[in-house]
Amino acid sequence: MAAYCRSCSVIMQKVNCLGACHPFKSQSLLLHYIRRGFGTSTICRALNPVQNKNLRAGKQKVSINHDKPLTYEQTQPPNMIGVSKSWNSWNSGSLNGEREKNAAQIVFEDIFIRKFMYGTWHNLFANEVIIKRRYNQIIIAGLIEQRNHNTIYFLIGYTEELLSFLLKCPVKIEIQTVADKKDMIFRYI
Amino acid sequence: MAASINQAVRRSCKSLFLIRSHCCACTRAQHTVVSSAKITDDVVEKIEIPKRKKRDSLSILKALASTVGKDNLAPRYMYLDDPYLIPRNEREKKMFAISKSSGREAARYMINKVPDCFEQDTAVPHIPAFMPPKTSYEHKDPSEDALIERIEMRHVKNAIEVYQHIKQKGSQLTEETKLRFLEILCVFNGKEPPPSQHPEEVFFGSQELQKKPRFREDIKDATKTTWDNPVAETLFEELSNKTPAAYTYLIRGMAMYFEANKAFHLYNELKGKKIPVGKEVYDSMLAISGKYSTSSEECFKLILDLLGDMKEARVKPDVLTFNAALKSLIKFAGFLSDSKLRGAEYIDRILAEMKFLDIEPSLATWAHVLYISCFQKNSDGAKLYRIIDYLKGREMTFQDPDDLTFFSLAMKKVFFSCKDLVVAYKINKLLNTGSNRKFLGDKNQTNDYYNYFFRVLCMFETVDKIMEYYERLVPHTWLPYRNEFQFLLDTIEVEQAYRHLPKIWSDIMVNGYDFINMFTDRVFKMMASTTHPPALQHQFAMMAKHVLKARDDLIERDRRLSIDINAPLLGYMILLFLRDGQFDEAWNYFERYRSQHGKFAGLMLDNVYAEMVDNCIKQQDVQKAFVCVALMGEMSANNQREVVKKIRENFNLTESEREELHLLVGS
């Protein structure tokens, strides 16, 4: 059975392997991940340098004038997740045993939450929406642009209540602010 | 068998002991071996495995929590962990509470409008709190099931409607259902239950937010507090078998909504029939005995009667019983002042009874005692001293909702009655003992407590000590208000501790423009009153610059808000610039005053001109000195003569300049 890895679009060899969708190329990388802590997302890395070079998914295209602003998040390709940047969804959905039960449900909910956040907090997010699941709690974190205090307090109350009723679990918002979205620019390409 | 097990245990104990001793530091290995060999002979025989300690699910969390104290520099956990979004003053805190709860209300509105979208139930186990409220009933015809359904959903009005339909039809209800219906009628006084408040609103103090207009009829109904419940009374009359539960519900309902006469009538009926009822009935009767009686003697006699009845009925009282009794005496606290001894006697007798029954008083008990005993005009607060000494070092447990009133009340009494710094410190120490801080109550009570504590501090303490407390509390635990700032500035003025002014001024600025306008005169007058060390002087000048800049910004942006600056205040600021050596800045504002002095109310102080001319002399700028002299003439300053004399002495004036000066002075 062949399937595509959703992050790196390489055909996966073993679908049901624990934690990683591809066998580890080198021992050192495996050690690296073990040392870094317990990441449960799939590890995105091509099998050989040629394939690695041809990876396109999750990488930003270079613009003609080299004036396309990128955040730090966007500058790091997917294979650097867990190395120089972190995951956007934190959950135990890819653990053995959990995966069959509710991995699909979690992915679906995360997509829904992201769409909800970008729509409701329109034009406010300066970076990605981070979704963390702890016990039965969902914590939505992120960086937003500074607006009128009351607007933000209202949106927090509204989002917490509505999402709690939709997802049937306590939802919390942990927001940090930046004065201007331009402060988030890390590099122009 | 038993012997062999015993031996095995002993052997394992020995080996454990040896392992432990081997774990000791290597340097002391020899010593350890010797001592362990000694101990194994005589001690091991006596080893007893300690009994298992009982731990509940919170024990570990409590133990962990006891290792950390309160971080005074952090905002409340409720607020967002972002510097921009943390509310800084009272107005912003109110906006936080209102905005967040109205966001929740908006979400609730959507949920109520399209409940179908929220019907899916993924939670295991099922969480009813996250389900949309039911809009339709399963049983639509008036029947017993329909009534039970409405009672379970707490829809009091609809339940009454169904009950009346059932009565019209003439069908019968079981006694059990009637009792349940009576219970819900008595608890909610025959009205819809009040809407629940969001946590932010609860902390902000419910009374404040209730001031916002309520247009919905059902909410207005719910806030009524008088007993108006004919349905419950007729239902009670119709009960064929009046059980103790029925009496309990009705009496407690009447007591809750202060219907003293009917409640006592019912109680006497119950007493006559010798129906056994629980402690709660006696508690609620005690709570309204103040309402029923007209004098303190009568009230106390009633309390004694009720307690006697309890004894007769073999009902065991607890701390809530005596709290209710003391609370009903509060009503007569003003009258008790005529017979001071009697009030003390009542308190003593109740407390003695509590001690006799081995009931530990809660903070509410002491709050009621304080209310009664320290109400008198010439009260010396003797009771307060004894209470605080009694409570010293105790960690209290929460027993009565009135426990939350103790700390703010005690501090208020310290300020009004005894004015004693030592007691204030003792109360503060008690507050910081263990987890006693949770008794501080909501925002209003917290503010009360710290306001009075701070006023007492300002009366007796040195400025440095006051500022130590100030820096610990402000801004996250407590923000001073107008009077507290006045007290603080008074103290600073007396002790001439001007070094604290920048810190206080920044806190005044946080409170908004009306605060700035209220205190600018006072603060800048204090700064300009003397000269200070250069670093401080520079800070003061920066503050002046900041205020003037903020004013100019405001004028450009929005004309409705403004920082009022009058002529004396501008004078102080010019003085601050001059003393910091910023002659150009000072001249800039001096010039502005000269050209548009109609816009600044009042007159500058005379010494502003004098210092300005001194600085002109330093700069050797004759023309500017002449401008000063001209303005002095215009504003009829008193010290013009001395200033002119100084100019003549310090400048080498040419003939034309002499003439100019002569023309300016006119002599």
Side-chain angles (χ1 to χ4, degrees):
Chain A
M1 181 183 152
Y4 279 96
C5 171
R6 78 182 132 89
S7 304
C8 61
S9 68
V10 167
I11 296 174
M12 290 191 285
Q13 303 298 315
K14 293 178 185 172
V15 177
N16 287 327
C17 66
L18 169 66
C21 57
H22 319 308
F24 286 105
K25 179 76 176 168
S26 67
Q27 194 67 22
S28 65
L29 188 68
L30 174 65
L31 284 175
H32 177 80
Y33 276 102
I34 290 169
R35 208 169 43 238
R36 282 223 143 227
F38 194 63
T40 63
S41 293
T42 49
I43 293 161
C44 311
R45 194 184 153 89
L47 295 172
N48 58 52
V50 179
Q51 281 182 342
N52 202 7
K53 189 190 147 208
N54 289 335
L55 287 182
R56 305 263 169 82
K59 286 185 177 175
Q60 298 287 335
K61 275 186 188 169
V62 180
S63 66
I64 299 169
N65 297 326
H66 292 271
D67 58 354
K68 182 176 164 191
L70 291 187
T71 61
Y72 176 79
E73 169 85 29
Q74 288 163 335
T75 54
Q76 306 298 315
N79 62 311
M80 296 306 278
I81 294 174
V83 182
S84 60
K85 75 169 178 180
S86 193
W87 290 268
N88 287 346
S89 295
W90 292 78
N91 55 59
S92 58
S94 56
L95 289 181
N96 198 10
E98 284 289 306
R99 178 188 287 227
E100 292 77 13
K101 262 194 286 177
N102 52 11
Q105 181 69 20
I106 290 175
V107 172
F108 172 74
E109 280 177 7
D110 283 1
I111 293 170
F112 172 77
I113 291 170
R114 291 217 164 80
K115 288 212 180 274
F116 181 89
M117 292 305 280
Y118 286 127
T120 309
W121 298 63
H122 184 71
N123 213 9
L124 277 175
F125 267 88
N127 209 341
E128 303 298 317
V129 177
I130 313 292
I131 301 167
K132 300 180 229 174
R133 279 156 204 270
R134 241 176 253 157
Y135 308 113
N136 71 335
Q137 240 183 52
I138 297 180
I139 294 156
I140 302 173
L143 273 168
I144 59 165
E145 211 174 21
Q146 285 174 359
R147 288 289 147 84
N148 187 1
H149 286 84
N150 302 349
T151 315
I152 297 172
Y153 299 149
F154 177 88
L155 280 174
I156 288 170
Y158 175 75
T159 312
E160 282 184 356
E161 195 78 1
L162 203 74
L163 285 182
S164 293
F165 271 76
L166 272 172
L167 305 171
K168 310 291 175 201
C169 62
V171 176
K172 287 191 178 162
I173 309 268
E174 286 175 2
I175 288 293
Q176 301 273 308
T177 58
V178 285
D180 194 345
K181 273 186 195 169
K182 281 179 189 160
D183 296 346
M184 297 300 294
I185 297 172
F186 179 68
R187 188 185 291 157
Y188 291 91
I189 62 168
Chain B
M1 181 74 184
S4 68
I5 290 174
N6 204 4
Q7 223 171 0
V9 168
R10 212 177 291 167
R11 208 179 300 138
S12 68
C13 283
K14 259 185 199 174
S15 60
L16 269 178
F17 201 85
L18 285 176
I19 288 168
R20 205 182 67 186
S21 61
H22 279 299
C23 288
C24 289
C26 297
T27 47
R28 292 199 291 167
Q30 202 180 0
H31 174 75
T32 320
V33 169
V34 172
S35 62
S36 69
K38 250 188 211 169
I39 292 165
T40 42
D41 287 339
D42 38 273
V43 181
V44 171
E45 300 296 322
K46 292 174 194 167
I47 279 186
E48 278 180 24
I49 297 169
K51 276 184 184 171
R52 193 181 166 194
K53 273 187 185 173
K54 274 185 189 169
R55 294 201 175 96
D56 58 2
S57 55
L58 290 177
S59 294
I60 293 175
L61 285 180
K62 276 179 190 162
L64 282 173
S66 68
T67 58
V68 288
K70 183 174 173 355
D71 179 8
N72 287 301
L73 300 175
R76 288 188 75 89
Y77 195 69
M78 177 171 76
Y79 299 125
L80 304 162
D81 192 14
D82 181 75
Y84 175 76
L85 291 176
I86 294 170
R88 290 169 304 169
N89 58 34
E90 211 62 2
R91 196 182 61 85
E92 285 181 4
K93 280 176 187 168
K94 190 171 180 178
M95 286 321 291
F96 174 84
I98 291 174
S99 307
K100 200 167 171 190
S101 60
S102 66
R104 287 182 193 279
E105 283 296 320
R108 283 289 168 95
Y109 172 77
M110 289 312 295
I111 292 160
N112 291 342
K113 202 170 184 195
V114 279
D116 304 353
C117 302
F118 300 87
E119 281 298 346
Q120 85 284 7
D121 188 10
T122 47
V124 182
H126 174 68
I127 307 173
F130 287 141
M131 297 306 282
K134 279 183 188 167
T135 46
S136 61
Y137 299 108
E138 275 176 36
H139 306 276
K140 292 197 170 95
D141 300 326
S143 65
E144 186 160 352
D145 289 335
L147 184 61
I148 292 174
E149 191 187 0
R150 281 149 187 75
I151 291 171
E152 270 170 4
M153 286 161 80
R154 303 276 185 275
H155 290 176
V156 184
K157 271 191 173 170
N158 291 347
I160 293 175
E161 215 169 276
V162 168
Y163 173 71
Q164 272 157 358
H165 278 296
I166 293 172
K167 252 172 85 176
Q168 276 172 11
K169 260 171 55 180
S171 48
Q172 285 299 312
L173 291 169
T174 57
E175 289 292 309
E176 195 191 340
T177 316
K178 275 186 185 169
L179 274 183
R180 283 185 71 180
F181 185 46
L182 181 66
E183 185 182 9
I184 197 172
L185 283 176
C186 291
V187 169
F188 296 117
N189 195 12
K191 309 281 183 316
E192 285 293 300
S196 59
Q197 282 188 320
H198 300 295
E200 300 84 26
E201 289 180 304
V202 172
F203 171 70
F204 199 80
S206 45
Q207 304 109 348
E208 294 241 355
L209 292 181
Q210 267 169 13
K211 278 180 197 159
K212 66 182 174 183
R214 301 272 196 185
F215 297 112
R216 278 163 55 193
E217 203 54 39
D218 54 332
I219 298 174
K220 265 188 198 167
D221 263 15
T223 50
K224 264 188 193 170
T225 49
T226 49
W227 174 257
D228 176 22
N229 203 351
V231 189
E233 285 171 36
T234 46
L235 180 66
F236 179 75
E237 291 302 322
E238 284 166 15
L239 283 176
S240 54
N241 177 21
K242 285 174 186 155
T243 55
Y247 275 105
T248 308
Y249 297 150
L250 198 60
I251 291 181
R252 290 188 70 191
M254 284 168 173
M256 205 159 125
Y257 296 98
F258 309 112
E259 183 56 61
N261 291 333
K262 280 184 185 172
F264 268 93
H265 179 74
L266 208 62
Y267 175 75
N268 289 333
E269 187 185 323
L270 175 146
K271 216 169 94 181
K273 289 183 186 172
K274 294 199 172 167
I275 296 171
V277 282
K279 184 189 76 73
E280 291 80 11
V281 174
Y282 293 103
D283 284 3
S284 44
M285 293 311 294
L286 283 168
I288 52 162
S289 54
K291 178 103 177 161
Y292 188 63
S293 40
T294 47
S295 71
S296 60
E297 289 86 0
E298 203 184 325
C299 180
F300 192 67
K301 198 172 162 290
L302 201 58
I303 288 170
L304 288 185
D305 286 349
L306 284 165
L307 290 176
D309 291 347
M310 281 183 91
K311 194 181 173 189
E312 222 167 83
R314 293 183 171 278
V315 178
K316 199 173 183 304
D318 67 0
V319 67
L320 292 175
T321 314
F322 292 105
N323 284 356
L326 281 170
K327 198 177 180 183
S328 62
L329 278 172
I330 289 177
K331 184 188 161 191
F332 305 104
F335 302 114
L336 289 173
S337 61
D338 303 329
S339 49
K340 193 176 167 187
L341 279 173
R342 189 154 300 163
E345 185 205 320
Y346 295 158
I347 294 168
D348 288 346
R349 283 182 66 180
I350 291 178
L351 289 179
E353 185 66 20
M354 288 178 85
K355 196 166 186 185
F356 177 70
L357 291 170
D358 202 16
I359 293 170
E360 181 64 35
S362 77
L363 283 179
T365 320
W366 300 124
H368 299 327
V369 169
L370 278 183
Y371 250 121
I372 299 167
S373 66
C374 296
F375 197 89
Q376 292 111 10
K377 281 172 208 153
N378 52 352
S379 140
D380 53 354
K383 273 270 180 326
L384 184 63
Y385 288 95
R386 285 177 61 192
I387 291 171
I388 298 303
D389 283 339
Y390 175 78
L391 287 174
K392 193 182 169 190
R394 286 180 195 232
E395 200 179 333
M396 307 302 289
T397 46
F398 194 88
Q399 298 182 63
D400 187 325
D402 287 331
D403 282 355
L404 299 179
T405 57
F406 175 77
F407 280 106
S408 53
L409 182 72
M411 205 44 104
K412 212 183 269 181
K413 293 295 173 197
V414 172
F415 179 70
F416 286 117
S417 306
C418 56
K419 295 198 172 43
D420 188 338
L421 186 65
V422 181
V423 187
Y425 276 141
K426 277 183 182 170
I427 295 176
N428 199 43
K429 203 176 171 192
L430 179 65
L431 179 74
N432 289 313
T433 308
S435 57
N436 280 353
R437 194 177 272 275
K438 67 189 173 211
F439 291 105
L440 212 45
D442 66 12
K443 190 206 57 136
N444 294 333
Q445 284 160 331
T446 311
N447 276 1
D448 264 5
Y449 174 82
Y450 283 116
N451 284 348
Y452 290 113
F453 178 51
F454 199 69
R455 286 183 194 190
V456 176
L457 278 185
C458 284
M459 271 182 196
F460 301 107
E461 261 306 358
T462 58
V463 167
D464 290 327
K465 193 83 183 168
I466 295 172
M467 289 310 289
E468 202 185 304
Y469 275 95
Y470 181 90
E471 269 164 33
R472 212 182 293 166
L473 298 173
V474 176
H476 291 309
T477 315
W478 163 74
L479 261 182
Y481 213 60
R482 283 172 195 156
N483 291 343
E484 286 69 40
F485 275 127
Q486 295 282 15
F487 275 107
L488 190 57
L489 290 177
D490 285 346
T491 322
I492 285 177
E493 204 164 15
V494 170
E495 293 201 28
Q496 301 198 334
Y498 300 119
R499 60 189 176 281
H500 298 302
L501 280 176
K503 164 88 184 138
I504 294 166
W505 178 245
S506 73
D507 288 329
I508 290 174
M509 296 274 277
V510 162
N511 270 310
Y513 293 110
D514 48 342
F515 262 71
I516 296 178
N517 286 334
M518 205 182 305
F519 288 106
T520 32
D521 275 348
R522 178 125 200 242
V523 171
F524 281 93
K525 190 179 178 185
M526 280 161 75
M527 288 177 192
S529 59
T530 54
T531 50
H532 309 282
L536 194 61
Q537 199 73 58
H538 180 66
Q539 244 178 334
F540 288 169
M542 295 309 285
M543 281 158 66
K545 202 184 269 184
H546 182 248
V547 172
L548 288 165
K549 192 170 169 291
R551 177 178 181 265
D552 292 347
D553 282 356
L554 274 181
I555 289 172
E556 261 176 42
R557 227 175 43 216
D558 187 348
R559 281 177 183 279
R560 278 175 303 169
L561 292 170
S562 71
I563 297 174
D564 302 329
I565 289 186
N566 52 23
L569 180 58
L570 192 68
Y572 301 138
M573 288 175 171
I574 289 171
L575 280 180
L576 290 176
F577 289 135
L578 286 177
R579 286 172 193 169
D580 189 38
Q582 302 187 28
F583 180 76
D584 293 339
E585 194 76 26
W587 184 257
N588 187 6
Y589 286 105
F590 190 80
E591 188 67 30
R592 197 194 278 192
Y593 177 67
R594 193 182 69 89
S595 57
Q596 26 181 291
H597 53 75
K599 285 188 180 175
F600 299 94
L603 291 171
M604 281 209 268
L605 287 188
D606 294 344
N607 66 338
V608 179
Y609 301 108
E611 284 206 27
M612 198 72 202
V613 170
D614 285 350
N615 276 276
C616 290
I617 293 166
K618 250 188 233 166
Q619 305 275 329
Q620 284 297 315
D621 197 330
V622 187
Q623 283 313 313
K624 282 181 181 166
F626 282 4
V627 171
C628 283
V629 175
L631 192 60
M632 284 175 91
E634 203 176 330
M635 294 288 146
S636 52
N638 292 327
N639 55 348
Q640 197 189 30
R641 200 174 290 265
E642 294 107 72
V643 169
V644 171
K645 199 177 156 201
K646 214 182 249 176
I647 290 175
R648 283 196 178 125
E649 280 167 10
N650 288 294
F651 283 113
N652 292 324
L653 298 176
T654 58
E655 195 56 38
S656 61
E657 281 169 347
R658 260 173 220 282
E659 251 173 50
E660 201 181 334
L661 188 61
H662 189 73
L663 277 175
L664 282 175
V665 183
S667 62

